[in-house]
Amino acid sequence: MTDSGATVLPGLAEIAEVGRDTVRGGYSRHLLDDAERDLRDWFVERAERLGLDVERDRNGNTWAWWGAPGPDAFVTGSHLDSVPGGGAFDGPLGVVSALDAVARLQQEGHRPSRPTAIAVFAEEEGSRFGVACLGSRLLSGAISPERALALTDADGTSLEAVLTSAGIDPSAVGPDPDRLAGIGTFVELHVEQGRGLVDLGSPVALASSILGHGRWRFRFSGQGNHAGATRMTDRRDPVVAAAAAIAAVPGIARSAADARATVGRLRAVPGGTNVIASTAEFWLDARAGEDAVTRTVVGAIVAAAEDAAAANGCALEVTEESWSSRVDFPEGPRAAIDRVLEGDVPVLPTGAGHDAGVLSTHVPSAMLFVRNPTGVSHAPEEWSDADDCAAGVEALTTVMRAST
């Protein structure tokens, strides 16, 4: 097993060297960095090879149309960006499968009777600017353009500046109601993030729901000082406060029904080995089956962080960076896909967020999952076997044939 996906689908092999992370392993492909731009160029080339007409919308999302755009469009696709050190399948599998499905239908002589497109959404992972599904959120109005444009990356560069450098007009960023209204159905194929299908013995599943989830930044402010000259009793160490708060997170999450809470990113400033930090930050990802449970878990973690800050003479600031309520995918599109696939597809919930979840508030949406034998995702070991990827392409092709 490798992390390239090169033996799985030819399209994945074509991009297997783009954005490899030699430090973390896996791939780091973030909004409009060199790797993600290369992937955009690859997608345009692949789509144009199929005779599709490619356009970039006002929010940096890319659309490849099979035939003329119009109302009641059938749209499929996913994203090409990754988490830091992510796997080869999360996002690209859905894009490659969509391209392959169109190619198969063209070879059959199929001509769509309704507008049909492949969409590649920008900044789905939120790894550069901290807000997941940013492209679909902007499209649908789930985030204001003012807030989005003011977001900054780890280097302090604003989204506004990054879009400008890419030739995207920041003044046009924001809700695109006409484009949104033109989507009649959206179906996203994605590698499974979990191991439900292994236990069910099926290569493909339909999504029933997405856990409500959000991201919060915890910032502890103390007193920077000399590591050797400052007695332990005289310290106001924000790293110690942050560590105590983080240590409380697993127990709080385990005490709630179907909750998950994760701290995967930390930063101490100034970051010297022989320096007591002046500030320490961590980012919390929290999810649960019910929105109220997620809020309760976060509230308890905030209370623990406040206690830790007080015990160490530090100040605490908590900022909610994003929030997505629980999504229950509508029965209509799911039932239609189930019928097309002859009623032989299991239905699973997911704890991972997706553009389909953001769009489902406005557009009839559905998701297809492709089996992940280990359940590992957001890591270099993420995997899907060749036969299962082929089954995913076949399922998406069948759905597109029947829907277009």
Side-chain angles (χ1 to χ4, degrees):
M1 183 181 296
T2 71
D3 66 355
S4 71
T7 62
V8 179
L9 293 177
L12 291 177
E14 291 175 9
I15 60 174
E17 298 306 315
V18 180
R20 280 194 176 273
D21 193 318
T22 58
V23 175
R24 302 179 181 94
Y27 297 89
S28 291
R29 303 157 164 169
H30 308 313
L31 178 67
L32 293 170
D33 67 4
D34 290 343
E36 203 249 14
R37 287 176 187 246
D38 287 346
L39 291 179
R40 286 170 179 256
D41 291 343
W42 164 84
F43 174 74
V44 170
E45 192 276 331
R46 274 291 306 268
E48 289 180 343
R49 229 192 295 163
L50 294 172
L52 308 184
D53 295 322
V54 182
E55 61 170 334
R56 184 172 65 185
D57 72 17
R58 66 180 68 172
N59 296 305
N61 306 310
T62 306
W63 302 74
W65 289 93
W66 187 7
D72 192 34
F74 178 91
V75 181
T76 186
S78 192
H79 62 97
L80 290 170
D81 64 308
S82 76
V83 298
F89 296 83
D90 182 355
L93 179 62
V95 176
V96 168
S97 297
L99 290 165
D100 285 356
V102 169
R104 288 189 182 191
L105 291 172
Q106 289 179 341
Q107 290 168 3
E108 295 175 4
H110 178 82
R111 295 180 179 273
S113 60
R114 63 191 286 199
T116 302
I118 302 171
V120 179
F121 290 100
E123 184 75 341
E124 193 272 351
E125 298 291 2
S127 294
R128 183 166 186 182
F129 289 99
V131 176
C133 301
L134 186 58
S136 56
R137 286 178 187 269
L138 283 166
L139 166 66
S140 63
I143 186 173
S144 72
E146 295 77 18
R147 183 188 167 210
L149 291 171
L151 295 170
T152 57
D153 63 13
D155 295 325
T157 306
S158 70
L159 176 64
E160 181 174 9
V162 168
L163 294 179
T164 300
S165 70
I168 300 172
D169 181 6
S171 68
V173 165
D176 195 344
D178 291 341
R179 183 178 297 274
L180 195 64
I183 303 174
T185 306
F186 178 66
V187 177
E188 181 173 6
L189 181 145
H190 204 280
V191 68
E192 184 189 13
Q193 293 171 295
R195 47 174 294 110
L197 283 170
V198 171
D199 298 330
L200 294 173
S202 174
V204 177
L206 281 160
S208 60
S209 60
I210 297 175
L211 298 183
H213 57 282
R215 299 179 183 185
W216 292 261
R217 183 183 66 184
F218 287 65
R219 186 175 192 268
F220 296 81
S221 300
Q223 177 59 61
N225 216 327
H226 194 290
T230 310
R231 295 180 301 179
M232 298 303 291
T233 54
D234 294 337
R235 299 184 178 208
R236 295 168 49 216
D237 190 336
V239 172
V240 174
I246 293 169
V249 169
I252 292 170
R254 291 190 193 106
S255 69
D258 196 26
R260 301 98 191 261
T262 306
V263 175
R265 180 182 170 200
L266 307 93
R267 180 169 63 194
V269 175
T273 303
N274 60 344
V275 180
I276 300 168
S278 56
T279 64
E281 295 176 302
F282 69 78
W283 281 258
L284 172 74
D285 179 298
R287 310 169 189 236
E290 301 296 334
D291 293 350
V293 175
T294 306
R295 293 292 187 181
T296 298
V297 167
V298 173
I301 293 171
V302 170
E306 290 171 341
D307 290 344
N312 289 278
C314 296
L316 171 66
E317 179 184 0
V318 181
T319 304
E320 181 177 293
E321 294 195 336
S322 67
W323 169 254
S324 298
S325 295
R326 174 189 168 101
V327 172
D328 290 292
F329 286 106
E331 176 64 26
R334 188 169 71 237
I337 292 174
D338 188 58
R339 285 194 299 271
V340 168
L341 298 179
E342 299 181 349
D344 200 24
V345 182
V347 178
L348 295 174
T350 179
H354 299 282
D355 291 305
V358 174
L359 295 179
S360 68
T361 303
H362 309 274
V363 173
S365 301
M367 290 194 72
L368 288 165
F369 293 133
V370 176
R371 181 165 51 196
N372 179 340
T374 66
V376 173
S377 188
H378 282 188
E381 296 79 14
E382 178 181 86
W383 186 254
S384 187
D385 292 327
D387 289 346
D388 289 350
C389 288
V393 173
E394 181 61 32
L396 183 60
T397 303
T398 301
V399 170
M400 291 185 69
R401 185 188 299 112
S403 302
T404 65

